[in-house]
């Protein structure tokens, strides 16, 4: 009788070679018609290409359109593909080139390494690089650096082209403000939205504040540009936008070398174009609204362009909600016996269902601060002195020794890298071993670099903390207990206040400690 071996059903599956699940990623930088056609062509190409390989299984096409490649966080298609990889739904990825995948060196290497750790490799068609078999990560690093330089060059060329169009008045506004639409490169008004804009200006001229106007717009269910809710900020943006007069001020913002956007406060030239498009608001009404805004700012001690509340009151911008993380706003409460100042969470004011934190009185905050400082005065030797001694010890020889050791290890790592490069160049080291060695060296180099940064940041932070702690101890040891709240003392030693409840708040001090105190009413 022949011997028969039973094979379980699960084992049968393993005997059949699994197809490689292959996905493709493509991207176009702008949302122009030509680029959209390019995206459609890429999608068609990759779908046919993957399905034509019998050993491959089509695992999806991921793409981003009208999105810059310099910031991976803004590319939803790319992020969706990474998530699918983490869920083990993809085995291999094809993309056109490194510059299509990422134009930021750090992002590119970070994503490649992450995918390799997941056991997923990429093939870059243009550069003919397969991360599964490439000779070294150094090649990818060099090419992605070139892609980043290309991105910077394109950015500078775009800036130069935009500047020329600013000067001759031919620049097209790609994202018009609320009330306008871009039709064939020209801004045209949207009748329904136009009426809302005029209503906003009318309310402002009547003396209503931006938050009041926003609340009324939400109550009347007036549509926003993106379908969200109106806020005081969105109303203020409309009231201060010169485009509603038909004029345009170009280059109100600019992008730095790291592709981050900033408000232009004189760093670059600006260009003013009158009568650029049809106006919604006349210059007289617009100027009158700006005068009202300036008057409100003057009354509340707010300078245009400064942080919202920092110059108003000593507590402005300092009180943080322990429930939602929002900032507290100063308000005046009226009762039958008079009025008093209170601070309320901004989120609670606008959306009570999102934060239940109620107001706290300013007088209660002031009394709690006085109580906390006087407790600290009588107990600083047992509370602050041990912390001071610990920070001084951390600043000593051990830190210097640690930095010296790190610098020596970084130099040795660089020497190892040079040696294996010479060996492979002379043919004494094969490509496979070179790849492994270089990968280990670069991993160690990155680890040492991050450790040095952490140690340097720690040293700087500890120095600042110790300096603040010395100043606080010096003050407490030389001054009597305080009788009432003093702005100067609060500003000198307190970073911010965290409100845990209406009965308890925490004073976060600049020396790095947080002291909780009961509210005194």
């Amino acid at each position: 009788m022949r011997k028969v071996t039973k094979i379980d059903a699960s084992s049968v599956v393993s005997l059949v070679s699994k197809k490689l699940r292959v996905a493709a990623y493509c991207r176009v930088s702008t949302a122009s018609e030509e680029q959209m056609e390019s995206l459609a062509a890429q999608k068609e190409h990759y779908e046919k290409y993957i399905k034509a390989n019998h050993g491959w299984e089509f695992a999806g096409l991921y793409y981003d359109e009208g999105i810059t490649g310099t910031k991976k966080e803004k590319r939803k298609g790319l992020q969706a593909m990474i998530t699918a990889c983490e869920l083990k739904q993809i085995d291999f990825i094809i993309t056109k080139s490194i510059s299509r995948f990422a134009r930021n060196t750090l992002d590119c290497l970070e994503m490649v390494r992450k995918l390799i750790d997941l056991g997923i490799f990429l093939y870059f068609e243009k550069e003919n690089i397969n991360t599964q078999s490439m000779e070294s990560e150094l090649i990818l690093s060099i090419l992605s650096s070139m892609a980043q330089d290309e991105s910077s060059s394109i950015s500078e060329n775009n800036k130069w082209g935009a500047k020329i169009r600013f000067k001759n008045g031919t620049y097209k506004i790609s994202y018009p403000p609320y009330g306008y639409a871009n039709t064939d490169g020209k801004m045209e008004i949207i009748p329904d939205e136009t009426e809302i804009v005029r209503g906003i200006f009318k309310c402002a001229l009547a003396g209503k504040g931006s938050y009041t106007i926003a609340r009324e717009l939400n109550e009347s269910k007036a549509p926003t540009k993106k379908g969200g809710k109106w806020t005081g900020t969105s109303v203020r943006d409309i009231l201060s936008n010169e485009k509603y007069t038909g004029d345009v001020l170009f280059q109100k913002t600019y992008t730095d070398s790291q592709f981050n956007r900033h408000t232009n406060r004189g760093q670059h030239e600006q260009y003013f174009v009158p009568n650029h498009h049809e106006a919604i608001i006349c210059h007289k009404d617009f100027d009158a609204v700006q005068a009202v805004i300036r008057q409100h700012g003057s009354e509340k001690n707010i300078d245009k362009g400064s942080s919202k509340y920092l110059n108003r009151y000593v507590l402005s911008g300092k009180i943080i909600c322990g429930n939602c993380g929002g900032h507290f706003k100063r308000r005046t409460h009226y009762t039958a016996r008079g009025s008093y100042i209170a601070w309320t969470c901004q989120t609670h004011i606008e959306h009570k269902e999102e934060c239940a934190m109620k107001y706290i009185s300013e007088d209660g905050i002031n009394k709690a601060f006085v109580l906390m400082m006087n407790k600290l005065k009588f107990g600083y030797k047992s509370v602050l002195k041990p912390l001071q001694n610990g920070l001084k010890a951390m600043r000593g020889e051990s830190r210097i020794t640690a930095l010296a050791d790190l610098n020596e290890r970084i130099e040795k790592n660089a020497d190892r890298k040079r040696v294996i490069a010479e060996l492979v160049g002379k043919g004494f080291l094969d490509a496979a071993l070179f790849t492994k060695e270089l990968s280990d060296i670069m991993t160690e180099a990155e680890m040492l670099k991050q450790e040095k940064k952490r140690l340097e940041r720690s040293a700087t932070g500890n120095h600042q903390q110790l300096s603040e702690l010395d100043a606080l101890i010096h003050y407490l040891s030389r001054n009597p207990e305080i009788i009432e709240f003093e702005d100067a003392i609060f500003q000198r030693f307190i970073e911010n206040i965290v409100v845990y409840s209406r009965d308890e708040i925490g004073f976060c001090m600049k020396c790095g400690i947080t002291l909780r105190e009961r509210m005194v009413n």
Side-chain angles (χ1 to χ4, degrees):
M1 186 174 180
R2 293 184 180 181
K3 183 179 178 181
V4 177
T5 303
K6 179 183 177 182
I7 302 175
D8 293 335
S10 57
S11 301
V12 174
V13 175
S14 65
L15 294 176
V16 180
S17 59
K18 289 180 63 177
K19 287 188 175 183
L20 201 65
R21 295 169 298 177
V22 182
Y25 175 77
C26 53
R27 176 183 61 81
V28 293
S29 303
T30 64
S32 66
E33 185 176 344
E34 294 83 359
Q35 292 281 33
M36 290 301 100
E37 290 177 0
S38 171
L39 176 60
Q42 289 183 63
K43 288 166 65 178
E44 183 180 1
H45 161 72
Y46 283 122
E47 191 165 349
K48 287 182 178 178
Y49 179 65
I50 292 171
K51 289 182 176 179
N53 192 315
H54 298 299
W56 289 357
E57 177 185 331
F58 183 61
L61 186 97
Y62 297 85
Y63 63 93
D64 289 300
E65 52 185 298
I67 303 292
T68 177
T70 56
K71 298 285 184 180
K72 71 177 188 298
E73 294 84 1
K74 296 181 180 180
R75 295 158 64 185
K76 294 182 179 179
L78 179 63
Q79 295 300 325
M81 184 178 71
I82 298 295
T83 300
C85 291
E86 291 172 338
L87 295 173
K88 306 297 182 184
Q89 297 172 354
I90 298 173
D91 301 316
F92 192 67
I93 298 168
I94 300 174
T95 189
K96 184 177 180 182
S97 67
I98 291 174
S99 64
R100 294 291 90 189
F101 187 65
R103 283 194 175 145
N104 177 295
T105 305
L106 184 61
D107 284 352
C108 184
L109 294 178
E110 178 188 319
M111 286 187 286
V112 168
R113 287 168 179 163
K114 181 175 183 177
L115 291 169
I116 289 176
D117 288 341
L118 293 170
I120 300 163
F121 302 97
L122 294 96
Y123 176 63
F124 299 96
E125 288 186 297
K126 181 179 177 182
E127 294 84 8
N128 192 27
I129 291 178
N130 186 330
T131 59
Q132 186 174 13
S133 59
M134 63 183 183
E135 290 189 0
S136 75
E137 192 179 54
L138 184 60
I139 297 173
L140 188 63
S141 178
I142 293 170
L143 289 172
S144 55
S145 295
M146 291 170 61
Q148 184 168 347
D149 291 340
E150 177 191 354
S151 181
S152 299
S153 176
I154 290 171
S155 176
E156 290 303 315
N157 289 338
N158 288 339
K159 288 178 185 177
W160 179 83
K163 200 174 199 179
I164 296 299
R165 294 193 294 277
F166 288 158
K167 288 181 178 180
N168 59 31
T170 60
Y171 184 84
K172 296 179 182 178
I173 299 173
S174 57
Y175 193 75
Y178 186 83
Y180 288 100
N182 198 333
T183 305
D184 297 328
K186 295 182 179 180
M187 282 174 56
E188 295 186 355
I189 63 173
I190 302 172
D192 292 343
E193 293 183 0
T194 297
E195 291 307 312
I196 294 174
V197 171
R198 287 176 179 149
I200 290 172
F201 275 86
K202 185 178 179 180
C203 288
L205 287 172
K208 292 183 179 180
S210 55
Y211 285 101
T212 300
I213 297 173
R215 187 181 68 249
E216 291 178 354
L217 288 169
N218 287 325
E219 288 173 353
S220 65
K221 301 190 183 305
T224 63
K225 196 171 185 69
K226 294 184 178 179
K229 291 184 177 181
W230 289 94
T231 65
T233 301
S234 59
V235 170
R236 280 196 302 273
D237 287 344
I238 286 177
L239 293 173
S240 61
N241 195 334
E242 83 292 337
K243 293 183 181 69
Y244 292 109
T245 66
D247 303 334
V248 175
L249 180 63
F250 287 125
Q251 202 154 270
K252 289 190 284 189
T253 62
Y254 68 94
T255 304
D256 63 20
S257 59
Q258 299 301 312
F259 307 104
N260 296 312
R261 187 159 289 278
H262 305 277
T263 299
N264 184 4
R265 304 190 188 281
Q267 295 90 339
H268 298 276
E269 294 175 327
Q270 293 184 323
Y271 304 88
F272 181 74
V273 181
N275 303 317
H276 178 270
H277 52 271
E278 185 178 354
I280 294 176
I281 303 298
C282 67
H283 283 89
K284 181 181 177 181
D285 287 348
F286 183 83
D287 292 341
V289 167
Q290 305 319 300
V292 170
I293 292 173
R294 286 193 296 271
Q295 179 62 29
H296 286 173
S298 176
E299 291 171 356
K300 297 176 180 178
N301 195 26
I302 301 177
D303 295 325
K304 186 176 181 180
S306 65
S307 295
K308 194 192 300 188
Y309 294 114
L310 293 183
N311 295 327
R312 293 183 63 179
Y313 311 101
V314 68
L315 296 178
S316 294
K318 296 283 188 180
I319 308 177
I320 300 170
C321 180
N323 184 24
C324 70
H327 281 79
F328 274 53
K329 182 180 179 181
R330 189 178 189 268
R331 308 183 87 183
T332 303
H333 286 197
Y334 297 92
T335 67
R337 292 179 292 177
S339 63
Y340 64 94
I341 302 301
W343 291 82
T344 309
C345 174
Q346 186 67 49
T347 306
H348 179 78
I349 293 172
E350 297 180 358
H351 310 292
K352 289 183 174 60
E353 68 279 2
E354 294 180 14
C355 182
M357 185 70 74
K358 295 184 178 180
Y359 69 88
I360 55 174
S361 71
E362 183 171 276
D363 185 58
I365 297 172
N366 294 346
K367 289 179 180 178
F369 174 73
V370 171
L371 183 60
M372 183 273 296
M373 287 296 291
N374 288 336
K375 284 182 180 178
L376 200 56
K377 173 176 176 54
F378 291 105
Y380 76 88
K381 290 183 180 179
S382 60
V383 176
L384 301 182
K385 279 289 186 180
L387 177 61
Q388 183 187 44
N389 294 333
L391 288 173
K392 284 181 178 178
M394 290 174 65
R395 195 178 62 172
E397 293 297 324
S398 60
R399 189 179 301 282
I400 298 172
T401 303
L403 278 171
D405 179 60
L406 269 175
N407 286 328
E408 184 178 350
R409 290 168 65 190
I410 289 171
E411 287 181 11
K412 288 182 178 179
N413 179 275
D415 288 339
R416 284 176 58 203
K417 188 176 178 180
R418 283 192 292 271
V419 168
I420 68 165
E422 290 176 4
L423 290 174
V424 78
K426 294 177 181 178
F428 297 148
L429 191 67
D430 64 50
L433 185 57
F434 171 70
T435 299
K436 182 181 181 304
E437 286 293 320
L438 187 58
S439 178
D440 291 343
I441 290 171
M442 292 184 72
T443 300
E444 182 188 34
E446 183 63 25
M447 181 193 71
L448 293 172
K449 180 182 175 182
Q450 294 303 323
E451 177 62 18
K452 185 177 179 181
K453 282 184 178 180
R454 186 197 63 77
L455 200 59
E456 289 173 340
R457 282 197 301 268
S458 175
T460 303
N462 284 341
H463 177 75
Q464 181 66 27
Q465 186 179 2
L466 181 59
S467 175
E468 291 291 345
L469 191 58
D470 289 343
L472 179 59
I473 291 174
H474 183 269
Y475 169 81
L476 294 170
S477 64
R478 292 174 179 266
N479 290 278
E481 60 181 291
I482 60 177
I483 306 302
E484 59 184 17
F485 183 89
E486 295 183 34
D487 289 2
I489 299 175
F490 179 88
Q491 289 177 320
R492 177 62 188 88
F493 298 114
I494 304 300
E495 187 70 36
N496 52 53
I497 296 171
V498 177
V499 180
Y500 302 109
S501 69
R502 296 187 72 187
D503 300 317
E504 186 181 36
I505 60 176
F507 292 96
C508 304
M509 311 195 77
K510 292 181 180 179
C511 66
I513 62 173
T514 297
L515 298 175
R516 291 186 178 230
E517 191 60 66
R518 302 290 294 178
M519 286 289 288
V520 181
N521 296 311

